[in-house]
């Protein structure tokens, strides 16, 4: 195929699904991968030509390698974008949340990104102008109580992105991340239900972003050709929070986060 290609993890619902639809409308070949095989197969059928789908657990290194190799070949020997989107979330006090649930966050949100980047590198290297876009979070701006382990994974993704953007510059690969506040997706709905209600920070900040907003941000990041830009903050709120954290003293960031979170 002569069209550019994007490999999307967590593509069955929410941000992954919206991003697949956005890029497919733009004429891209889209790879749809998720543990929810039925979901990505249905999406591929609805999109039609140029959409490829498969079951993938991002914590399975062998499975990731096989999926990327298959997609690279099917897309005509190119991988323009790896979109590390798959993720999970749990909400609650650190000491009250079962340890297995917190370790699962690390497996999916961090190890999954590391595995994806490592497996995709040979194909990204062979594709001029390739990109890695990873979903981080506004929770990586300042650690939020009630989201401790989730924050830890997103801070790590942010650091990984910064490091790889420098390491892989010599190969022509740019790495970026997206750091939104609360997005109206099934993942957010699920963790609200599991925690028995909205966290206080969600009541304070609201939920003003949609999956389509994030898909549009990913599109802009992929097509950005101006000055070097690593971190993308969708919406005015996340951008202002990031700016405030940089110019405000530590005690102010601590107190404001505590107040917003209701702790």
């Amino acid at each position: 195929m002569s069209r550019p290609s994007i490999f999307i993890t967590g593509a069955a619902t929410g941000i992954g699904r919206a991003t697949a639809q956005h890029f497919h409308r733009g004429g891209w070949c889209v790879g749809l991968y998720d543990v929810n095989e039925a979901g990505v197969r249905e999406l591929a059928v609805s999109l039609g030509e140029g959409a490829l789908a498969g079951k993938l657990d991002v914590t399975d290194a062998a499975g990731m390698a096989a999926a990327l190799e298959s997609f690279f070949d099917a897309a005509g020997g190119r991988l323009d974008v790896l979109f590390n989107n798959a993720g999970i979330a749990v909400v609650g006090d650190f000491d009250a949340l079962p340890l297995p649930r917190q370790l699962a966050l690390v497996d999916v949100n961090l190890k999954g990104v590391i595995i994806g980047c490592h497996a995709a590198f040979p194909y990204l290297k062979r594709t001029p102008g390739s990109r890695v876009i990873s979903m981080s979070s506004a929770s990586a701006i300042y650690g939020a109580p009630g989201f401790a382990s989730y924050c830890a994974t997103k801070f790590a993704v942010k650091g990984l992105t910064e490091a790889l953007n420098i390491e892989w510059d010599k190969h022509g690969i740019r790495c970026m991340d997206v750091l939104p506040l609360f997005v109206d997706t099934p993942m957010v709905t699920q963790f609200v239900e599991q925690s028995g209600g909205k966290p206080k920070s969600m009541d304070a900040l609201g939920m003003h972003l949609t999956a389509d907003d994030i898909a549009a941000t990913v599109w802009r990041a992929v097509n950005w050709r101006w000055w070097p830009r690593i971190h993308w903050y969708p919406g005015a709120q996340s951008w202002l929070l990031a700016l405030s954290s940089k110019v405000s003293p530590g005690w102010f960031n601590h107190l404001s986060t505590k107040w917003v979170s209701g702790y």
Side-chain angles (χ1 to χ4, degrees):
M1 297 181 187
S2 60
R3 68 179 72 180
S5 68
I6 179 171
F7 183 100
I8 304 171
T9 66
T13 61
I15 292 169
R17 185 182 184 92
T19 301
Q21 293 168 333
H22 195 114
F23 276 76
H24 191 265
R25 285 194 301 269
W28 285 53
C29 174
V30 294
L32 316 171
Y33 295 88
D34 201 297
V35 290
N36 178 2
E37 184 176 12
V40 288
R41 296 289 185 193
E42 177 273 326
L43 177 57
V45 170
S46 70
L47 293 177
E49 183 183 0
L52 308 170
K55 184 176 182 178
L56 175 64
D57 178 350
V58 296
T59 67
D60 176 9
M64 178 71 78
L68 278 160
E69 181 180 17
S70 176
F71 177 71
F72 182 78
D73 291 340
R78 61 189 297 175
L79 176 63
D80 295 86
V81 177
L82 167 67
F83 182 33
N84 292 306
N85 168 70
I88 58 177
V90 295
V91 180
D93 289 346
F94 179 80
D95 54 284
L97 289 172
L99 185 58
R101 291 181 65 191
Q102 299 194 57
L103 295 179
L105 287 176
V106 177
D107 288 340
V108 176
N109 296 2
L110 176 55
K111 288 184 180 179
V113 175
I114 293 173
I115 289 169
C117 289
H118 194 271
F121 174 71
Y123 310 115
L124 294 165
K125 184 179 178 181
R126 290 165 61 183
T127 309
S130 59
R131 303 282 187 266
V132 176
I133 312 292
S134 300
M135 282 305 301
S136 184
S137 166
S139 298
I141 297 172
Y142 194 90
F147 294 85
S149 291
Y150 180 80
C151 289
T153 64
K154 297 304 182 180
F155 268 96
V157 168
K158 184 170 179 282
L160 178 70
T161 298
E162 292 171 349
L164 290 183
N165 190 52
I166 296 172
E167 283 191 31
W168 289 358
D169 180 64
K170 62 187 176 184
H171 301 295
I173 305 168
R174 291 185 61 185
C175 300
M176 293 171 275
D177 56 17
V178 183
L179 300 92
L181 274 167
F182 298 108
V183 184
D184 188 5
T185 63
M187 185 186 78
V188 173
T189 301
Q190 184 179 37
F191 80 60
V192 168
E193 291 175 351
Q194 290 176 346
S195 61
K198 293 181 181 179
K200 292 182 179 179
S201 55
M202 185 181 291
D203 280 330
L205 297 170
M207 187 162 56
H208 306 290
L209 295 170
T210 67
D212 288 330
D213 293 327
I214 309 306
T217 300
V218 175
W219 177 263
R220 289 195 298 272
V222 167
N223 291 285
W224 185 256
R225 295 295 184 270
W226 304 99
W227 62 89
R229 185 173 178 181
I230 301 173
H231 307 302
W232 292 76
Y233 300 96
Q237 276 186 317
S238 60
W239 183 83
L240 287 171
L241 283 173
L243 178 62
S244 176
S245 71
K246 292 178 181 179
V247 301
S248 300
W251 64 264
F252 178 82
N253 291 326
H254 170 85
L255 289 178
S256 60
T257 302
K258 184 176 180 179
W259 177 79
V260 168
S261 303
Y263 279 76

